[in-house]
Amino acid sequence: MGVTLTVLSLIVLIPLSAVVLKAANQSPAEFWAVATSQRSLAAYRLSFGAAFVAAVINSIFGVLTAWALVRYEFPGKTLINALVDLPFALPTAVAGIALATLYAPNGWVGQFLTPLGIKAAYNPIGVTIALIFIGLPFVVRTIEPVLRDAAEDVEEAAASLGANRIDTILRIVLPALAPAWLTGFAMAFARGVGEYGSVIFIAGNMPYKSEIAPLLIIIQLEQFEYARAATIAVVMLAVSFTMLLVINAIQAWARRFD
Amino acid sequence: MAAVSHRKATDDPLWAKVLVVGTVMAFLALVLILPLIAVFAEALRKGLGVALEAIQNTDALAAIKLTLITAAISVPFNAAFGLCAAWAIAKHEFPGKPLLITLIDLPFSVSPVVAGLIYVLIFGLQGWFGEYLVDNDIKIIFAVPGIVLATVFVTFPFVARELIPLMQEQGTSEEEAAVSMGAGGLYTFWRVTAPNVRWGLMYGVLLCNARAMGEFGAVSVVSGHIRGLTNTMPLHVEILYNEYDFVGAFAVAALLCLLAVVTLVLKTAVEAAQPGMRGRSGH
Amino acid sequence: MTISIRSVEKKFGRYPALNKVDLEIKDGELLALLGPSGSGKTTLLRTIAGLEFPDAGQVLFDGQDVTFASAADRRVGFVFQQYALFKHMTVAKNIAFGLDVRKGKDKPSKAEIARRVDDLLKLVELDGLGKRYPSQLSGGQRQRVALSRALAVQPSVLLLDEPFGALDATVRKSLRKELRRVHDATGVTTIFVTHDQEEALELADRVAILNKGQIEQIGTPDQVHDTPETAFVCGFVGEANSFEGQVGGGQFTAGSLRLPAGGVREGSATAYVRPHDFVLDDGGFEVRIERAHVQGALTTVNAVAQDGRPIEISASRAEAARFQGTVKIAARKAHVYAA
């Protein structure tokens, strides 16, 4: 018990407080000026916006993937199941350069998008693509166990009450998955907001346009602007804590129905 | 009552199955499989010889060595902590338990860049201990200790979060039985508790190791990118890529891909050995 | 509505769950499917509901073939053992679901649905709980919700799969009465599955006894209890002493035991005697009384025959007082089945 608390404090809690103390070392006005500068705001917008869109896309494909893995038998299922965890196992920098190469205008995928007038790398779309890669397993792996444990008798009950398959899925199955779905969404979103490695290679990193918030912290650090770096970090930490609270609240809410 | 169908109430029509599986396959191919193939294809663009050369030059070898050292320190450390923490949480009752679990999970919610930043703020030149460290000629930031610290931080929860639910499920009855038969605390732990959680431990260590070897953001902040000295494999990939040495970058990346593939194969094997592990979410 | 099951067969893998089952269910009756686990009773119920489809044979509703009609098209009310309530919906929404999913002109107005839900809540004595969620109800209340949800669609037949299986003994008893009352009030043809013979005998108009995928006997509770047609029914329904022995010359013999066995094929046989069918009789065989204990208005007497076979006897308290030491007994009635 004592060991746990000591290690936790030394590795996690005290270091985290350092960033808050550093940011608090400025006057509120200074803090506010950095936290809400045009460049910072653009960076938050990109980080939050791209993370949100990626989480939405992952919610759709994630639930389909979980459904296929739990409910269907198909060739290659074991392989697909293992692959879903690739983003957990693959170093983010590797994912970053691979995605950048694929989706660059002359890349394997990008060359087909260019004639359509779609630019999928070195802009916010590229950031979103990287965050889809990073976030997918969060959604799949949160929904999958809930789907596997779900009793099929409620679906039979709905059918015996005259509901067709689409009504059963829309009104019974999916609402029952909602808490797990929201949790997976929130986890993918939280991870996406802070993601760095897979994003910077495909982002383009243009200030005000394709510069994510974590990159802004690094840029401030490289200019030895430690207080400014800490300020942006505090804003991001606040968002992380909020997401943690939201996830806990979703789970507490879901337990009410069990 | 006339409609004739042979399909059970919980079964989807064939067209729906084909559509869902097809969509999933297409999506995963685009997002997961293609990048994996791209890494190897780019690495081998100028032939296997060039790729092998790229991972055998001095800087690459130094990066591989540093990555292995980092993992060799942070993984056992976090495994030991994970066992301690899971033991303390699952086998004892105390107020504030949910809070403690949340705090252990905290590093997962923190951006890796922030994880690196906090150590710069403490041990960096302008940091809390900056002057003391300079006076005594101790280097933490832009040196190996900083890289290890940042890695420990980002991989902190992996083992603990696998073991906590596992140990909680198992309860305390087996331990109580062992203690009632006169077994000591440490003996009980090694003979009763540890064997029960060995699969969960392996699972956590596997994921912890993958992240430790692959961490980029946090390490990038504290490393200083000194070639041959403070470059881990992922950082080496970045440097080569930014220098337009694509074959070199992808050759080292391919090595990391192999690590990921081995991790996934072992993970699948652990799940096959212990079906209960399946679907637990790692990070 | 009448239901006809004709030569229905169903296998799960190599395991035959139903083996050429024939059954006629009369309009408005309350039928119990009684059998041990694995006897096929739930499979039969699910086949009637359209939740399973048979490998061979037919299911007819009022003479119309519905063998492969989907569950949604059959208009059956199905009550599951584990309730299968929709957790994320209130009690009222659960009950209204079957009406709510109807399309076009079949769908009742909102006011009509609300009125039906209220009526049903009253019928199962849950008025005022419409706004609760299933997680806020007790097991017995949840099963009542499941029952009224099934009734809401005015099903042509109500099917219940071990409806009281997950409930404790007291709740079980009161819900049994409730089901009988609801059945009598609505008059809907009702089939329920149970492994509890007491439940089947108390509640049903007729009982069908299943064993190994086949119907052993179907009849009123009196019939199956008093004139069991097969050894299995005799052993499964009601208490019985069972003996392995031989039939010869119209008599069953097992050690010192002698039982009447008119009309039974000669050779080895199994005999069953209800505990209350043993009476004191000087012409009978000898037993030693071991102990007696009170069971309600009756006394259960444990006796041992000369060859050591245990025998259970049930008698009124006054009569049981005469079972002392060593006595001679005979069976008023014995069910003997050739092996």
PDB file of all heavy atoms in Angstrom, chain C residues 5-34:
ATOM      1  N   ILE C   5     -49.113 -29.737 -33.398  1.00  0.00           N
ATOM      2  CA  ILE C   5     -47.719 -30.068 -33.645  1.00  0.00           C
ATOM      3  C   ILE C   5     -47.734 -31.430 -34.321  1.00  0.00           C
ATOM      4  O   ILE C   5     -48.297 -32.376 -33.767  1.00  0.00           O
ATOM      5  CB  ILE C   5     -46.937 -30.194 -32.312  1.00  0.00           C
ATOM      6  CG1 ILE C   5     -47.246 -29.040 -31.383  1.00  0.00           C
ATOM      7  CG2 ILE C   5     -45.452 -30.370 -32.549  1.00  0.00           C
ATOM      8  CD1 ILE C   5     -46.696 -27.736 -31.792  1.00  0.00           C
ATOM      9  N   ARG C   6     -47.140 -31.528 -35.504  1.00  0.00           N
ATOM     10  CA  ARG C   6     -47.220 -32.804 -36.226  1.00  0.00           C
ATOM     11  C   ARG C   6     -45.836 -33.334 -36.569  1.00  0.00           C
ATOM     12  O   ARG C   6     -45.120 -32.742 -37.363  1.00  0.00           O
ATOM     13  CB  ARG C   6     -48.020 -32.617 -37.514  1.00  0.00           C
ATOM     14  CG  ARG C   6     -49.464 -32.266 -37.190  1.00  0.00           C
ATOM     15  CD  ARG C   6     -50.366 -32.488 -38.360  1.00  0.00           C
ATOM     16  NE  ARG C   6     -51.715 -32.079 -37.965  1.00  0.00           N
ATOM     17  CZ  ARG C   6     -52.606 -31.576 -38.795  1.00  0.00           C
ATOM     18  NH1 ARG C   6     -52.303 -31.437 -40.066  1.00  0.00           N
ATOM     19  NH2 ARG C   6     -53.792 -31.221 -38.362  1.00  0.00           N
ATOM     20  N   SER C   7     -45.498 -34.462 -35.937  1.00  0.00           N
ATOM     21  CA  SER C   7     -44.233 -35.179 -36.205  1.00  0.00           C
ATOM     22  C   SER C   7     -43.029 -34.248 -36.240  1.00  0.00           C
ATOM     23  O   SER C   7     -42.193 -34.343 -37.134  1.00  0.00           O
ATOM     24  CB  SER C   7     -44.284 -35.928 -37.544  1.00  0.00           C
ATOM     25  OG  SER C   7     -45.433 -36.678 -37.629  1.00  0.00           O
ATOM     26  N   VAL C   8     -42.960 -33.335 -35.285  1.00  0.00           N
ATOM     27  CA  VAL C   8     -41.869 -32.358 -35.299  1.00  0.00           C
ATOM     28  C   VAL C   8     -40.573 -32.994 -34.804  1.00  0.00           C
ATOM     29  O   VAL C   8     -40.548 -33.693 -33.792  1.00  0.00           O
ATOM     30  CB  VAL C   8     -42.240 -31.128 -34.451  1.00  0.00           C
ATOM     31  CG1 VAL C   8     -40.995 -30.337 -34.082  1.00  0.00           C
ATOM     32  CG2 VAL C   8     -43.210 -30.249 -35.222  1.00  0.00           C
ATOM     33  N   GLU C   9     -39.499 -32.770 -35.577  1.00  0.00           N
ATOM     34  CA  GLU C   9     -38.173 -33.268 -35.200  1.00  0.00           C
ATOM     35  C   GLU C   9     -37.204 -32.106 -35.189  1.00  0.00           C
ATOM     36  O   GLU C   9     -37.306 -31.200 -36.012  1.00  0.00           O
ATOM     37  CB  GLU C   9     -37.690 -34.310 -36.216  1.00  0.00           C
ATOM     38  CG  GLU C   9     -38.417 -35.617 -36.126  1.00  0.00           C
ATOM     39  CD  GLU C   9     -37.909 -36.597 -37.166  1.00  0.00           C
ATOM     40  OE1 GLU C   9     -36.671 -36.676 -37.337  1.00  0.00           O
ATOM     41  OE2 GLU C   9     -38.744 -37.242 -37.814  1.00  0.00           O
ATOM     42  N   LYS C  10     -36.280 -32.153 -34.242  1.00  0.00           N
ATOM     43  CA  LYS C  10     -35.258 -31.095 -34.190  1.00  0.00           C
ATOM     44  C   LYS C  10     -33.999 -31.682 -33.566  1.00  0.00           C
ATOM     45  O   LYS C  10     -34.044 -32.304 -32.503  1.00  0.00           O
ATOM     46  CB  LYS C  10     -35.760 -29.925 -33.332  1.00  0.00           C
ATOM     47  CG  LYS C  10     -34.744 -28.829 -33.113  1.00  0.00           C
ATOM     48  CD  LYS C  10     -34.626 -27.933 -34.315  1.00  0.00           C
ATOM     49  CE  LYS C  10     -33.512 -26.906 -34.151  1.00  0.00           C
ATOM     50  NZ  LYS C  10     -33.297 -26.162 -35.405  1.00  0.00           N
ATOM     51  N   LYS C  11     -32.882 -31.486 -34.258  1.00  0.00           N
ATOM     52  CA  LYS C  11     -31.602 -31.940 -33.714  1.00  0.00           C
ATOM     53  C   LYS C  11     -30.713 -30.730 -33.478  1.00  0.00           C
ATOM     54  O   LYS C  11     -30.714 -29.786 -34.245  1.00  0.00           O
ATOM     55  CB  LYS C  11     -30.901 -32.867 -34.721  1.00  0.00           C
ATOM     56  CG  LYS C  11     -31.373 -34.300 -34.711  1.00  0.00           C
ATOM     57  CD  LYS C  11     -30.321 -35.171 -35.409  1.00  0.00           C
ATOM     58  CE  LYS C  11     -30.662 -36.643 -35.379  1.00  0.00           C
ATOM     59  NZ  LYS C  11     -31.668 -37.036 -36.379  1.00  0.00           N
ATOM     60  N   PHE C  12     -29.943 -30.758 -32.397  1.00  0.00           N
ATOM     61  CA  PHE C  12     -28.878 -29.772 -32.212  1.00  0.00           C
ATOM     62  C   PHE C  12     -27.568 -30.535 -32.362  1.00  0.00           C
ATOM     63  O   PHE C  12     -27.194 -31.303 -31.476  1.00  0.00           O
ATOM     64  CB  PHE C  12     -28.951 -29.114 -30.837  1.00  0.00           C
ATOM     65  CG  PHE C  12     -30.139 -28.211 -30.686  1.00  0.00           C
ATOM     66  CD1 PHE C  12     -31.146 -28.491 -29.777  1.00  0.00           C
ATOM     67  CD2 PHE C  12     -30.255 -27.073 -31.478  1.00  0.00           C
ATOM     68  CE1 PHE C  12     -32.238 -27.658 -29.642  1.00  0.00           C
ATOM     69  CE2 PHE C  12     -31.349 -26.240 -31.352  1.00  0.00           C
ATOM     70  CZ  PHE C  12     -32.339 -26.531 -30.431  1.00  0.00           C
ATOM     71  N   GLY C  13     -26.913 -30.350 -33.478  1.00  0.00           N
ATOM     72  CA  GLY C  13     -25.742 -31.173 -33.763  1.00  0.00           C
ATOM     73  C   GLY C  13     -26.217 -32.608 -33.915  1.00  0.00           C
ATOM     74  O   GLY C  13     -27.103 -32.891 -34.718  1.00  0.00           O
ATOM     75  N   ARG C  14     -25.672 -33.522 -33.116  1.00  0.00           N
ATOM     76  CA  ARG C  14     -26.121 -34.910 -33.199  1.00  0.00           C
ATOM     77  C   ARG C  14     -27.138 -35.232 -32.117  1.00  0.00           C
ATOM     78  O   ARG C  14     -27.673 -36.324 -32.059  1.00  0.00           O
ATOM     79  CB  ARG C  14     -24.905 -35.845 -33.063  1.00  0.00           C
ATOM     80  CG  ARG C  14     -24.025 -35.813 -34.296  1.00  0.00           C
ATOM     81  CD  ARG C  14     -22.791 -36.676 -34.104  1.00  0.00           C
ATOM     82  NE  ARG C  14     -23.104 -38.035 -33.704  1.00  0.00           N
ATOM     83  CZ  ARG C  14     -22.280 -38.798 -32.994  1.00  0.00           C
ATOM     84  NH1 ARG C  14     -21.134 -38.323 -32.586  1.00  0.00           N
ATOM     85  NH2 ARG C  14     -22.625 -40.027 -32.674  1.00  0.00           N
ATOM     86  N   TYR C  15     -27.401 -34.228 -31.252  1.00  0.00           N
ATOM     87  CA  TYR C  15     -28.277 -34.465 -30.119  1.00  0.00           C
ATOM     88  C   TYR C  15     -29.729 -34.215 -30.507  1.00  0.00           C
ATOM     89  O   TYR C  15     -30.087 -33.107 -30.895  1.00  0.00           O
ATOM     90  CB  TYR C  15     -27.843 -33.535 -28.980  1.00  0.00           C
ATOM     91  CG  TYR C  15     -28.766 -33.519 -27.806  1.00  0.00           C
ATOM     92  CD1 TYR C  15     -28.772 -34.566 -26.891  1.00  0.00           C
ATOM     93  CD2 TYR C  15     -29.633 -32.450 -27.603  1.00  0.00           C
ATOM     94  CE1 TYR C  15     -29.622 -34.545 -25.817  1.00  0.00           C
ATOM     95  CE2 TYR C  15     -30.484 -32.420 -26.519  1.00  0.00           C
ATOM     96  CZ  TYR C  15     -30.468 -33.468 -25.631  1.00  0.00           C
ATOM     97  OH  TYR C  15     -31.311 -33.454 -24.568  1.00  0.00           O
ATOM     98  N   PRO C  16     -30.576 -35.257 -30.461  1.00  0.00           N
ATOM     99  CA  PRO C  16     -31.973 -35.048 -30.842  1.00  0.00           C
ATOM    100  C   PRO C  16     -32.754 -34.382 -29.709  1.00  0.00           C
ATOM    101  O   PRO C  16     -32.891 -34.953 -28.632  1.00  0.00           O
ATOM    102  CB  PRO C  16     -32.480 -36.471 -31.094  1.00  0.00           C
ATOM    103  CG  PRO C  16     -31.571 -37.361 -30.321  1.00  0.00           C
ATOM    104  CD  PRO C  16     -30.301 -36.629 -30.028  1.00  0.00           C
ATOM    105  N   ALA C  17     -33.210 -33.146 -29.936  1.00  0.00           N
ATOM    106  CA  ALA C  17     -33.951 -32.429 -28.904  1.00  0.00           C
ATOM    107  C   ALA C  17     -35.435 -32.777 -28.972  1.00  0.00           C
ATOM    108  O   ALA C  17     -36.107 -32.867 -27.952  1.00  0.00           O
ATOM    109  CB  ALA C  17     -33.750 -30.928 -29.073  1.00  0.00           C
ATOM    110  N   LEU C  18     -35.951 -32.968 -30.195  1.00  0.00           N
ATOM    111  CA  LEU C  18     -37.346 -33.361 -30.365  1.00  0.00           C
ATOM    112  C   LEU C  18     -37.383 -34.521 -31.343  1.00  0.00           C
ATOM    113  O   LEU C  18     -36.762 -34.473 -32.403  1.00  0.00           O
ATOM    114  CB  LEU C  18     -38.182 -32.197 -30.916  1.00  0.00           C
ATOM    115  CG  LEU C  18     -38.370 -30.991 -29.995  1.00  0.00           C
ATOM    116  CD1 LEU C  18     -39.111 -29.892 -30.733  1.00  0.00           C
ATOM    117  CD2 LEU C  18     -39.111 -31.383 -28.731  1.00  0.00           C
ATOM    118  N   ASN C  19     -38.134 -35.569 -30.977  1.00  0.00           N
ATOM    119  CA  ASN C  19     -38.136 -36.780 -31.780  1.00  0.00           C
ATOM    120  C   ASN C  19     -39.575 -37.149 -32.130  1.00  0.00           C
ATOM    121  O   ASN C  19     -40.277 -37.747 -31.337  1.00  0.00           O
ATOM    122  CB  ASN C  19     -37.448 -37.896 -30.978  1.00  0.00           C
ATOM    123  CG  ASN C  19     -37.158 -39.094 -31.825  1.00  0.00           C
ATOM    124  OD1 ASN C  19     -37.500 -39.123 -33.006  1.00  0.00           O
ATOM    125  ND2 ASN C  19     -36.543 -40.093 -31.223  1.00  0.00           N
ATOM    126  N   LYS C  20     -40.013 -36.710 -33.293  1.00  0.00           N
ATOM    127  CA  LYS C  20     -41.374 -37.022 -33.779  1.00  0.00           C
ATOM    128  C   LYS C  20     -42.449 -36.695 -32.745  1.00  0.00           C
ATOM    129  O   LYS C  20     -43.132 -37.578 -32.242  1.00  0.00           O
ATOM    130  CB  LYS C  20     -41.468 -38.496 -34.160  1.00  0.00           C
ATOM    131  CG  LYS C  20     -40.726 -38.835 -35.439  1.00  0.00           C
ATOM    132  CD  LYS C  20     -41.483 -39.913 -36.197  1.00  0.00           C
ATOM    133  CE  LYS C  20     -41.073 -40.023 -37.591  1.00  0.00           C
ATOM    134  NZ  LYS C  20     -40.099 -40.452 -38.238  1.00  0.00           N
ATOM    135  N   VAL C  21     -42.556 -35.437 -32.426  1.00  0.00           N
ATOM    136  CA  VAL C  21     -43.513 -35.011 -31.411  1.00  0.00           C
ATOM    137  C   VAL C  21     -44.843 -34.645 -32.071  1.00  0.00           C
ATOM    138  O   VAL C  21     -44.880 -33.911 -33.059  1.00  0.00           O
ATOM    139  CB  VAL C  21     -42.976 -33.799 -30.626  1.00  0.00           C
ATOM    140  CG1 VAL C  21     -44.066 -33.205 -29.745  1.00  0.00           C
ATOM    141  CG2 VAL C  21     -41.781 -34.215 -29.781  1.00  0.00           C
ATOM    142  N   ASP C  22     -45.935 -35.198 -31.538  1.00  0.00           N
ATOM    143  CA  ASP C  22     -47.288 -34.823 -31.958  1.00  0.00           C
ATOM    144  C   ASP C  22     -48.030 -34.281 -30.750  1.00  0.00           C
ATOM    145  O   ASP C  22     -47.960 -34.862 -29.669  1.00  0.00           O
ATOM    146  CB  ASP C  22     -48.045 -36.048 -32.489  1.00  0.00           C
ATOM    147  CG  ASP C  22     -47.538 -36.461 -33.852  1.00  0.00           C
ATOM    148  OD1 ASP C  22     -47.872 -35.750 -34.823  1.00  0.00           O
ATOM    149  OD2 ASP C  22     -46.791 -37.469 -33.933  1.00  0.00           O
ATOM    150  N   LEU C  23     -48.729 -33.167 -30.959  1.00  0.00           N
ATOM    151  CA  LEU C  23     -49.446 -32.564 -29.826  1.00  0.00           C
ATOM    152  C   LEU C  23     -50.554 -31.671 -30.369  1.00  0.00           C
ATOM    153  O   LEU C  23     -50.344 -30.915 -31.316  1.00  0.00           O
ATOM    154  CB  LEU C  23     -48.435 -31.736 -29.001  1.00  0.00           C
ATOM    155  CG  LEU C  23     -48.926 -31.044 -27.739  1.00  0.00           C
ATOM    156  CD1 LEU C  23     -49.430 -32.051 -26.716  1.00  0.00           C
ATOM    157  CD2 LEU C  23     -47.792 -30.225 -27.119  1.00  0.00           C
ATOM    158  N   GLU C  24     -51.749 -31.812 -29.778  1.00  0.00           N
ATOM    159  CA  GLU C  24     -52.862 -30.926 -30.147  1.00  0.00           C
ATOM    160  C   GLU C  24     -53.192 -30.065 -28.943  1.00  0.00           C
ATOM    161  O   GLU C  24     -53.402 -30.582 -27.845  1.00  0.00           O
ATOM    162  CB  GLU C  24     -54.103 -31.759 -30.519  1.00  0.00           C
ATOM    163  CG  GLU C  24     -53.934 -32.641 -31.751  1.00  0.00           C
ATOM    164  CD  GLU C  24     -53.885 -31.837 -33.050  1.00  0.00           C
ATOM    165  OE1 GLU C  24     -54.597 -30.802 -33.128  1.00  0.00           O
ATOM    166  OE2 GLU C  24     -53.116 -32.220 -33.954  1.00  0.00           O
ATOM    167  N   ILE C  25     -53.199 -28.765 -29.130  1.00  0.00           N
ATOM    168  CA  ILE C  25     -53.525 -27.871 -28.024  1.00  0.00           C
ATOM    169  C   ILE C  25     -54.848 -27.194 -28.339  1.00  0.00           C
ATOM    170  O   ILE C  25     -55.038 -26.636 -29.421  1.00  0.00           O
ATOM    171  CB  ILE C  25     -52.399 -26.842 -27.819  1.00  0.00           C
ATOM    172  CG1 ILE C  25     -51.116 -27.587 -27.436  1.00  0.00           C
ATOM    173  CG2 ILE C  25     -52.768 -25.856 -26.716  1.00  0.00           C
ATOM    174  CD1 ILE C  25     -49.898 -27.062 -28.091  1.00  0.00           C
ATOM    175  N   LYS C  26     -55.768 -27.300 -27.353  1.00  0.00           N
ATOM    176  CA  LYS C  26     -57.128 -26.818 -27.607  1.00  0.00           C
ATOM    177  C   LYS C  26     -57.223 -25.320 -27.384  1.00  0.00           C
ATOM    178  O   LYS C  26     -56.422 -24.729 -26.659  1.00  0.00           O
ATOM    179  CB  LYS C  26     -58.116 -27.515 -26.654  1.00  0.00           C
ATOM    180  CG  LYS C  26     -58.193 -29.004 -26.843  1.00  0.00           C
ATOM    181  CD  LYS C  26     -59.093 -29.596 -25.767  1.00  0.00           C
ATOM    182  CE  LYS C  26     -58.768 -31.060 -25.547  1.00  0.00           C
ATOM    183  NZ  LYS C  26     -59.137 -31.491 -24.200  1.00  0.00           N
ATOM    184  N   ASP C  27     -58.226 -24.731 -28.014  1.00  0.00           N
ATOM    185  CA  ASP C  27     -58.435 -23.294 -27.876  1.00  0.00           C
ATOM    186  C   ASP C  27     -58.729 -22.934 -26.427  1.00  0.00           C
ATOM    187  O   ASP C  27     -59.566 -23.556 -25.781  1.00  0.00           O
ATOM    188  CB  ASP C  27     -59.621 -22.876 -28.761  1.00  0.00           C
ATOM    189  CG  ASP C  27     -59.806 -21.373 -28.756  1.00  0.00           C
ATOM    190  OD1 ASP C  27     -58.781 -20.660 -28.731  1.00  0.00           O
ATOM    191  OD2 ASP C  27     -60.963 -20.919 -28.771  1.00  0.00           O
ATOM    192  N   GLY C  28     -58.006 -21.972 -25.915  1.00  0.00           N
ATOM    193  CA  GLY C  28     -58.280 -21.445 -24.580  1.00  0.00           C
ATOM    194  C   GLY C  28     -57.769 -22.284 -23.435  1.00  0.00           C
ATOM    195  O   GLY C  28     -57.993 -21.951 -22.271  1.00  0.00           O
ATOM    196  N   GLU C  29     -57.061 -23.370 -23.711  1.00  0.00           N
ATOM    197  CA  GLU C  29     -56.624 -24.192 -22.581  1.00  0.00           C
ATOM    198  C   GLU C  29     -55.294 -23.708 -22.011  1.00  0.00           C
ATOM    199  O   GLU C  29     -54.558 -22.944 -22.634  1.00  0.00           O
ATOM    200  CB  GLU C  29     -56.564 -25.676 -22.967  1.00  0.00           C
ATOM    201  CG  GLU C  29     -55.304 -26.130 -23.642  1.00  0.00           C
ATOM    202  CD  GLU C  29     -55.260 -27.659 -23.741  1.00  0.00           C
ATOM    203  OE1 GLU C  29     -55.708 -28.331 -22.792  1.00  0.00           O
ATOM    204  OE2 GLU C  29     -54.795 -28.173 -24.779  1.00  0.00           O
ATOM    205  N   LEU C  30     -55.027 -24.153 -20.801  1.00  0.00           N
ATOM    206  CA  LEU C  30     -53.758 -23.847 -20.143  1.00  0.00           C
ATOM    207  C   LEU C  30     -52.998 -25.161 -20.041  1.00  0.00           C
ATOM    208  O   LEU C  30     -53.380 -26.049 -19.286  1.00  0.00           O
ATOM    209  CB  LEU C  30     -54.025 -23.255 -18.756  1.00  0.00           C
ATOM    210  CG  LEU C  30     -52.832 -22.887 -17.872  1.00  0.00           C
ATOM    211  CD1 LEU C  30     -51.826 -22.035 -18.608  1.00  0.00           C
ATOM    212  CD2 LEU C  30     -53.316 -22.132 -16.633  1.00  0.00           C
ATOM    213  N   LEU C  31     -51.943 -25.269 -20.856  1.00  0.00           N
ATOM    214  CA  LEU C  31     -51.218 -26.529 -20.961  1.00  0.00           C
ATOM    215  C   LEU C  31     -49.830 -26.386 -20.372  1.00  0.00           C
ATOM    216  O   LEU C  31     -49.152 -25.393 -20.595  1.00  0.00           O
ATOM    217  CB  LEU C  31     -51.103 -26.933 -22.436  1.00  0.00           C
ATOM    218  CG  LEU C  31     -50.330 -28.234 -22.688  1.00  0.00           C
ATOM    219  CD1 LEU C  31     -51.274 -29.420 -22.685  1.00  0.00           C
ATOM    220  CD2 LEU C  31     -49.561 -28.177 -23.993  1.00  0.00           C
ATOM    221  N   ALA C  32     -49.413 -27.410 -19.608  1.00  0.00           N
ATOM    222  CA  ALA C  32     -48.046 -27.410 -19.078  1.00  0.00           C
ATOM    223  C   ALA C  32     -47.208 -28.409 -19.848  1.00  0.00           C
ATOM    224  O   ALA C  32     -47.671 -29.511 -20.141  1.00  0.00           O
ATOM    225  CB  ALA C  32     -48.054 -27.772 -17.603  1.00  0.00           C
ATOM    226  N   LEU C  33     -45.985 -28.003 -20.229  1.00  0.00           N
ATOM    227  CA  LEU C  33     -45.013 -28.943 -20.771  1.00  0.00           C
ATOM    228  C   LEU C  33     -44.061 -29.269 -19.638  1.00  0.00           C
ATOM    229  O   LEU C  33     -43.301 -28.421 -19.196  1.00  0.00           O
ATOM    230  CB  LEU C  33     -44.236 -28.320 -21.947  1.00  0.00           C
ATOM    231  CG  LEU C  33     -45.053 -27.929 -23.178  1.00  0.00           C
ATOM    232  CD1 LEU C  33     -44.148 -27.254 -24.210  1.00  0.00           C
ATOM    233  CD2 LEU C  33     -45.727 -29.145 -23.790  1.00  0.00           C
ATOM    234  N   LEU C  34     -44.153 -30.500 -19.142  1.00  0.00           N
ATOM    235  CA  LEU C  34     -43.408 -30.881 -17.946  1.00  0.00           C
ATOM    236  C   LEU C  34     -42.356 -31.917 -18.316  1.00  0.00           C
ATOM    237  O   LEU C  34     -42.632 -32.842 -19.077  1.00  0.00           O
ATOM    238  CB  LEU C  34     -44.385 -31.467 -16.915  1.00  0.00           C
ATOM    239  CG  LEU C  34     -43.799 -32.071 -15.639  1.00  0.00           C
ATOM    240  CD1 LEU C  34     -43.147 -30.993 -14.784  1.00  0.00           C
ATOM    241  CD2 LEU C  34     -44.892 -32.781 -14.831  1.00  0.00           C
TER     242      LEU C  34
END
